[in-house]
Amino acid sequence: MNTGKEILKKVYTAKSKSELMEAYNNWAEEYDKDLDEFGYKAPAETVEYFVKYVNKGTRIIDVGCGTGLVGELLTARGFGNIDGLDYSENMLEVAKTKNIYKELIHADLSKKLNLSNNLYDALICVGTFTYGHVQKEAFESLAQIVKPGGHIIFTVREGAYDDLCYRDKMVEMEVRKIWELKEMVDAVYFTDDNISCKICVYENKTMSKII
Ligand SMILES: C[S@@+](CC[C@H](N)C(=O)[O-])C[C@H]1O[C@@H](n2cnc3c(N)ncnc32)[C@H](O)[C@@H]1O
């Protein structure tokens, strides 16, 4: 039986998407308990920025929603119209039991999303831009599904931020005027091991024409 720490190591060192999804599918039932033990603060920290920028009643998507930790916090803060998207079926199954998402979408963020362009007023994505997970190119998919003027708020884990060159892609999209950086702050990710993350707040600028 894998312990939470062993599974965490597995997801960060996954060599392929199938390896990553196998790890998450096996972890789904124990994920919330384990993450609580590790002092996983990223959802709560990011939601504080989300409430600062996003109005209640707007249409939101939680990308890489996992078991719904972020959705639970948003619901507690009065947000109601939330969809969730994830590629792990078992993580989505756990999220479903919480009855907090309007729709749960099984999709791979590293491919073009089969969703209408400019569909959402705001997007939140916590814990997904990190080692072994989703590459920087997926920022394009985030921008694609959010309306111009809508906010895109996500974390990038310390270490991976530099090692996987996330900032390069963020800047490239700033230069192309796809989105505009409103705020970027350092925040606690895991209290265990003292890991931090960047919380990035973007405003989407361009009506997406990707087809
Ligand atoms: C660390 S968990 C974060 C879950 C949730 N946001 C939270 O903070 O608890 C990362 C999530 O990203 C999802 N994920 C990884 N790669 C993905 C991909 N290519 N497409 C969609 N979801 C992906 C995993 O299935 C997992 O649920």
Side-chain angles (χ1 to χ4, degrees):
M1 183 70 168
N2 283 312
T3 66
K5 283 276 175 182
E6 282 166 355
I7 305 178
L8 188 64
K9 193 171 164 198
K10 259 193 187 170
V11 301
Y12 282 146
T13 56
K15 298 275 180 293
S16 65
K17 213 172 296 169
S18 56
E19 215 178 275
L20 181 68
M21 287 305 122
E22 192 188 337
Y24 273 114
N25 282 334
N26 290 332
W27 201 8
E29 291 293 336
E30 301 294 320
Y31 176 90
D32 288 7
K33 177 181 71 59
D34 287 345
L35 271 279
D36 186 44
E37 278 170 21
F38 304 158
Y40 182 49
K41 300 296 179 208
E45 296 265 339
T46 313
V47 163
E48 287 310 317
Y49 285 87
F50 194 85
V51 300
K52 196 170 138 184
Y53 285 92
V54 181
N55 295 326
K56 289 176 187 146
T58 53
R59 189 168 185 192
I60 297 162
I61 185 160
D62 176 8
V63 170
C65 64
T67 59
L69 292 179
V70 171
E72 285 181 287
L73 291 168
L74 289 176
T75 304
R77 300 295 284 267
F79 291 88
N81 194 356
I82 318 169
D83 289 347
L85 180 149
D86 204 279
Y87 200 41
S88 159
E89 288 177 1
N90 292 3
M91 295 291 271
L92 286 171
E93 275 305 311
V94 174
K96 193 172 170 191
T97 63
K98 296 180 181 172
N99 289 320
I100 44 180
Y101 294 102
K102 227 170 163 183
E103 201 181 329
L104 283 167
I105 303 157
H106 179 237
D108 180 357
L109 184 57
S110 54
K111 300 211 173 116
K112 188 195 162 321
L113 295 174
N114 191 19
L115 291 171
S116 303
N117 294 342
N118 318 116
L119 188 58
Y120 293 99
D121 296 298
L123 179 153
I124 188 165
C125 181
V126 179
T128 306
F129 291 100
T130 183
Y131 295 113
H133 285 57
V134 177
Q135 302 291 313
K136 60 184 187 302
E137 288 69 26
F139 290 141
E140 298 275 356
S141 297
L142 304 190
Q144 179 214 326
I145 59 173
V146 174
K147 293 174 185 165
H151 287 91
I152 298 173
I153 301 175
F154 58 88
T155 61
V156 182
R157 189 194 186 274
E158 168 199 338
Y161 179 78
D162 293 314
D163 296 345
L164 303 182
C165 306
Y166 287 113
R167 182 75 188 131
D168 292 353
K169 182 67 186 175
M170 286 158 63
V171 170
E172 185 226 290
M173 289 170 63
E174 287 169 27
V175 171
R176 284 165 53 218
K177 303 203 183 313
I178 301 289
W179 61 11
E180 182 184 310
L181 184 63
K182 304 308 270 184
E183 198 166 2
M184 178 155 59
V185 293
D186 290 311
V188 179
Y189 199 66
F190 286 118
T191 52
D192 233 25
D193 300 328
N194 255 332
I195 308 287
S196 70
C197 65
K198 303 275 183 210
I199 294 175
C200 308
V201 179
Y202 276 96
E203 186 180 315
N204 216 25
K205 284 291 171 199
T206 313
M207 183 64 84
S208 183
K209 295 189 184 66
I210 303 168
I211 43 168

